[in-house]
Amino acid sequence: VLQGEASVTTPATAEGETSSPASEALSSAPWRALLAAIDPLVRPVLAASGLFGEAQETGEDDEVTVDAVGFVLSQPGAPGQMWHPDAETRVGLVNVFVPLVPLSEANGPTALAPCSHVPPRPGCPHVVRPLLAAGEVLLFDWRTWHRGCANTSDADRPVAYVTYARRGVEGASYKQGLPSL
């Protein structure tokens, strides 16, 4: 899937996702390995956040599900994305980004507007662009305004992601039908 106004011959940002449900996707070895590496780190953070309800604060993991796994690939020359939230009002969805290469200003890190998920939404006066090493983890609420920055480097910038959801909250259904890994 090419995003933005890119054509087949123009550098673009591609996004792919495994087929729904996430449990089918996790049958492949790379996704199982990714989840095994990040899940022990992510679940305690989610529990402390309170985003997944009181049950999660007491350590009951059955309130948190893996909604989707996928990737975003920014090719050399890809323009920056428009600012957007993945959902404006759904509470209980968190993206976990795992860059597969070191992120730099040149290859287009993800820019985030802190606190933009909390009403009333500020005018986003502050923006952060975490320059993560390959394998580091970035978590953010789906309501947070963010964008992939332009890739001005000469190399692809792949980022894997896992979407965690509070049980009963529909998440990445809008992404169904994207190409599978």
Side-chain angles (χ1 to χ4, degrees):
V1 172
L2 299 178
Q3 296 180 335
E5 297 182 26
S7 68
V8 175
T9 59
T10 303
T13 299
E15 184 171 337
E17 186 161 7
T18 60
S19 60
S20 185
S23 59
E24 291 174 15
L26 295 175
S27 65
S28 73
W31 292 119
R32 282 195 316 268
L34 173 67
L35 195 60
I38 69 166
D39 205 54
L41 303 170
V42 170
R43 287 188 184 265
V45 172
L46 295 177
S49 76
L51 284 173
F52 294 95
E54 292 178 24
Q56 186 59 20
E57 291 172 5
T58 64
E60 296 177 31
D61 284 340
D62 63 342
E63 287 299 313
V64 176
T65 62
V66 173
D67 183 70
V69 295
F71 70 96
V72 176
L73 176 68
S74 179
Q75 297 172 331
Q81 294 177 324
M82 299 291 290
W83 281 97
H84 65 279
D86 288 332
E88 290 198 59
T89 58
R90 280 187 244 160
V91 177
L93 292 161
V94 171
N95 277 326
V96 179
F97 279 13
V98 183
L100 304 180
V101 298
L103 298 183
S104 67
E105 287 296 339
N107 69 8
T110 300
L112 301 120
C115 300
S116 60
H117 69 292
V118 180
R121 288 179 171 63
C124 300
H126 182 66
V127 172
V128 296
R129 292 185 235 359
L131 301 180
L132 305 174
E136 288 187 324
V137 178
L138 170 68
L139 286 78
F140 62 96
D141 189 295
W142 261 37
R143 298 170 293 165
T144 301
W145 284 76
H146 63 283
R147 70 185 209 115
C149 295
N151 184 350
T152 60
S153 76
D154 59 358
D156 288 344
R157 188 220 4 116
V159 175
Y161 67 85
V162 177
T163 300
Y164 284 83
R166 185 179 64 219
R167 187 163 305 285
V169 175
E170 289 188 28
S173 59
Y174 77 93
K175 293 182 179 181
Q176 289 177 1
L178 290 177
S180 171
L181 289 179

